[in-house]
């Protein structure tokens, strides 16, 4: 059974809610799914995954949420090669913050690509100013992403 790991960066629980709402979609597609609520870099490097999904909210002026800071700090320190990693990214933000909208998701995307990872499809950016419940956008996006990237294992 293929493995999918979901890495969550959240301040108030919105990104975790998205992860929990999309997990059954991946399970229905034939994946064994693990959600990392307090992700560490070792979780990405040591836990084999066929595909990774990052659900990351943005705080402050485009910053990573507190639970995700150790992951990013270790990433910068260790600079792992990720040429085998295929991933998707759901970024949560608030467009009223202007240029820093979804800043953490965009920064993570650039960091992953700089280390050789391959993003499958486009990044989903969810705007809290337009969408009250983030999973209202995330669930249909994941359904389409699974189909368009031919991720069904069953």
């Amino acid at each position: 059974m293929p493995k999918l790991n979901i890495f969550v960066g959240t301040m108030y629980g919105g990104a975790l809610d998205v992860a929990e709402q999309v997990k059954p979609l991946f399970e229905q597609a034939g994946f064994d799914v693990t959600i990392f609520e307090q992700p560490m870099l070792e979780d990405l490097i040591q836990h084999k995954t066929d595909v990774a999904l990052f659900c990351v909210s943005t705080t402050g002026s485009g910053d990573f949420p507190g639970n995700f800071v150790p992951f990013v700090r270790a990433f910068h320190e260790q600079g792992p090669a990720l040429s085998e990693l295929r991933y998707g990214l759901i970024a949560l933000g608030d467009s009223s913050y202007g240029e820093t909208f979804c800043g953490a998701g965009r920064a993570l995307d650039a960091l992953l690509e700089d280390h050789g990872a391959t993003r499958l499809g486009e990044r989903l950016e969810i705007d809290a100013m337009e969408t009250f419940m983030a999973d209202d956008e995330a669930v249909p996006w994941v359904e389409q992403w699974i189909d368009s990237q031919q991720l069904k294992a069953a």
Side-chain angles (χ1 to χ4, degrees):
M1 175 178 287
K3 181 85 176 122
L4 181 123
N5 291 329
I6 303 176
F7 300 90
V8 178
T10 192
M11 184 64 77
Y12 301 111
L16 178 58
D17 183 55
V18 166
E20 291 171 342
Q21 295 299 317
V22 301
K23 180 182 179 187
L25 301 174
F26 289 107
E27 290 171 339
Q28 291 167 10
F31 285 89
D32 176 26
V33 181
T34 301
I35 296 176
F36 292 93
E37 294 180 42
Q38 299 289 325
M40 301 303 286
L41 184 59
E42 295 77 28
D43 298 327
L44 178 64
I45 295 170
Q46 295 176 2
H47 292 87
K48 183 194 176 307
T49 187
D50 294 286
V51 181
L53 178 68
F54 294 87
C55 296
V56 180
S57 62
T58 298
T59 64
S61 298
D63 302 320
F64 288 100
N67 78 308
F68 209 75
V69 169
F71 177 92
V72 174
R73 186 177 295 129
F75 206 112
H76 283 295
E77 290 170 359
Q78 297 178 29
L82 299 174
S83 59
E84 302 293 316
L85 180 65
R86 300 179 315 142
Y87 72 96
L89 197 144
I90 298 174
L92 288 77
D94 184 328
S95 62
S96 69
Y97 284 86
E99 291 183 16
T100 62
F101 170 64
C102 287
R106 292 174 181 179
L108 177 62
D109 203 7
L111 189 61
L112 291 167
E113 287 185 349
D114 286 348
H115 287 83
T118 302
R119 187 182 68 231
L120 302 176
E122 296 299 315
R123 174 180 62 237
L124 173 63
E125 294 184 350
I126 300 174
D127 184 357
M129 293 295 290
E130 296 180 7
T131 305
F132 180 67
M133 298 295 292
D135 54 309
D136 288 346
E137 275 192 56
V139 167
W141 180 86
V142 166
E143 290 172 337
Q144 187 274 334
W145 190 64
I146 289 170
D147 286 340
S148 69
Q149 299 303 316
Q150 301 176 350
L151 297 176
K152 284 196 175 131

